[in-house]
């Protein structure tokens, strides 16, 4: 969501707290940032002049792993926590809290405050833990997907094993290598290459399904996992890191279903993605 749309929500928010997804983080802007700091957690607050709206704006960002705690706190305080879509959450029922303008003025009048403010050991440890947890979830998601998909290839008929099957394995290796190097901070990820490989894998498995080489359950499981990985590594998400530099991150990961045959319930064919 662009800045203009975010500010429209903020201008009409009242005592609602709006959270917006941006790359691997969630953000709260303006009064929502003020309410988040007062009610939920204190994070580093940033500010900049946004030419499109001709205003000095303040915002804070936090990893997705924090959302569970936010939702729990909202429930404890009897607030309404609504997920409007994948990129927008609104928390309603917040009581009046005065002092937003004074709070914002203090931030705007101290442009170097963030640099001078000491960072506690606990904050550093928490940040590192968030990053490691997010990276581990991404690694496990991709690694489990590669193992599962690789085990399907030897089971297909010889007529397709050394054509479609070999192509799938090559693309799986490409995805795995890029993610491994990214997780270990060795290089910036080539998200275009990874996404292209995932779409080729999706196409080939769909083709194998039509050729009766993989079941509809297996195809839908593969397709679901590809969707989860794509949500995590879209280009705008990966632009947060360059040359392997680590930042506080969180992967946008839905819960992972089990493997087919282990309680996994496939999607209905009406929900099936064609390619």
């Amino acid at each position: 969501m662009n800045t203009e749309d975010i500010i429209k929500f903020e201008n009409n928010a009242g005592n609602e707290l709006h959270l917006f997804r941006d790359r691997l983080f969630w953000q709260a802007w303006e009064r929502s940032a003020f309410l988040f700091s007062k009610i939920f957690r204190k994070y580093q607050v940033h500010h900049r002049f946004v030419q499109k709206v001709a205003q000095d704006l303040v915002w804070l960002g936090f990893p997705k792993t924090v959302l569970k705690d936010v939702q729990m706190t909202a429930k404890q305080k009897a607030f309404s926590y609504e997920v409007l879509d994948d990129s927008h959450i609104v928390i309603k029922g917040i009581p009046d809290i005065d002092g937003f303008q004074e709070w914002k003025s203090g931030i705007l009048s101290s442009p170097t405050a963030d640099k001078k403010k000491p960072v506690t050991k606990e904050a550093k440890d928490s940040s590192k833990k968030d990053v490691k947890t997010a990276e581990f979830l991404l690694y496990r998601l991709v690694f489990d997907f590669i193992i599962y998909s690789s085990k399907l290839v030897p089971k297909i008929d010889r007529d397709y094993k050394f054509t479609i099957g070999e192509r799938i394995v090559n693309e799986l290796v490409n995805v795995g290598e890029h993610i491994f190097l990214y997780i270990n901070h060795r290089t910036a990820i080539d998200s275009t290459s990874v996404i292209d490989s995932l779409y080729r894998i999706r196409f080939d498995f769909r083709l194998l399904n039509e050729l009766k080489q993989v079941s509809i359950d297996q195809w839908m499981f593969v397709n679901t996992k590809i969707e989860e990985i794509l949500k995590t590594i879209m280009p705008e998400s990966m632009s947060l890191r360059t040359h392997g530099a680590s930042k506080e991150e969180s992967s946008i990961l839905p819960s992972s279903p089990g493997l087919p045959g282990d309680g996994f319930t496939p999607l209905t064919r009406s929900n099936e993605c064609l390619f």
Side-chain angles (χ1 to χ4, degrees), residues 16-271:
E16 296 178 354
L17 193 162
H18 291 266
L19 301 174
F20 301 96
R21 178 187 166 192
D22 180 53
R23 302 169 180 148
L24 295 179
F25 290 90
W26 283 79
Q27 295 180 340
W29 288 72
E30 291 291 288
R31 184 171 178 79
S32 290
F34 168 71
L35 294 174
F36 192 92
S37 295
K38 295 295 182 182
I39 298 172
F40 296 99
R41 289 194 186 187
K42 293 184 182 296
Y43 279 94
Q44 181 177 0
V45 181
H46 310 272
H47 69 86
R48 73 166 182 263
F49 182 81
V50 179
Q51 192 169 3
K52 289 184 178 180
V53 295
Q55 293 182 49
D56 281 303
L57 302 179
V58 294
W59 83 98
L60 59 81
F62 58 90
K64 180 179 181 288
T65 51
V66 174
L67 283 180
K68 185 176 180 180
D69 291 339
V70 172
Q71 186 174 12
M72 185 179 301
T73 301
K75 184 178 180 181
Q76 292 171 348
K77 294 180 177 293
F79 300 156
S80 170
Y81 182 98
E82 300 179 23
V83 180
L84 301 184
D85 55 47
D86 289 343
S87 300
H88 189 185
I89 295 171
V90 60
I91 302 174
K92 300 179 180 179
I94 298 175
D96 291 335
I97 299 179
D98 296 328
F100 165 62
Q101 290 300 335
E102 293 81 359
W103 175 82
K104 179 177 178 179
S105 297
I107 294 170
L108 296 180
S109 63
S110 181
T112 60
D114 290 341
K115 295 181 180 179
K116 294 180 180 179
K117 184 179 179 180
V119 180
T120 64
K121 181 179 183 299
E122 291 77 10
K124 289 182 179 179
D125 291 343
S126 177
S127 176
K128 290 179 180 178
K129 183 177 179 181
D130 286 339
V131 171
K132 289 181 179 179
T133 299
E135 291 180 341
F136 175 77
L137 290 173
L138 173 60
Y139 177 78
R140 289 307 314 177
L141 176 64
V142 173
F143 186 78
D144 289 346
F145 168 71
I146 291 173
I147 294 300
Y148 176 77
S149 301
S150 298
K151 287 181 178 180
L152 291 180
V153 172
K155 299 177 182 179
I156 65 179
D157 291 346
R158 183 181 180 86
D159 292 342
Y160 310 111
K161 186 181 299 183
F162 300 105
T163 52
I164 301 174
E166 185 174 331
R167 188 165 64 229
I168 289 175
V169 171
N170 289 337
E171 298 295 350
L172 287 169
V173 170
N174 181 61
V175 172
E177 287 179 345
H178 277 85
I179 297 301
F180 179 80
L181 292 172
Y182 171 72
I183 293 300
N184 286 278
H185 304 164
R186 304 301 300 174
T187 182
I189 195 168
D190 183 354
S191 56
T192 300
S193 177
V194 174
I195 292 170
D196 286 349
S197 288
L198 289 170
Y199 275 103
R200 292 188 189 101
I201 293 168
R202 169 184 277 170
F203 174 85
D204 285 339
F205 268 111
R206 177 55 194 263
L207 185 58
L208 288 175
N209 172 246
E210 295 296 329
L211 293 170
K212 310 301 181 185
Q213 299 300 304
V214 297
S215 69
I216 186 64
D217 286 11
Q218 291 169 331
W219 149 242
M220 290 305 299
F221 180 80
V222 167
N223 191 55
T224 298
K225 288 301 178 184
I226 289 175
E227 280 299 310
E228 292 179 11
I229 297 171
L230 285 171
K231 286 180 181 179
T232 309
I233 60 173
M234 295 306 286
E236 61 272 18
S237 298
M238 288 308 180
S239 65
L240 281 179
R241 176 184 294 171
T242 58
H243 306 298
S246 177
K247 290 189 177 182
E248 183 180 355
E249 300 170 317
S250 172
S251 54
I252 312 302
L253 294 174
S255 58
S256 301
L259 297 178
D262 293 325
F264 171 71
T265 303
L267 300 177
T268 60
R269 185 174 282 274
S270 62
N271 292 328

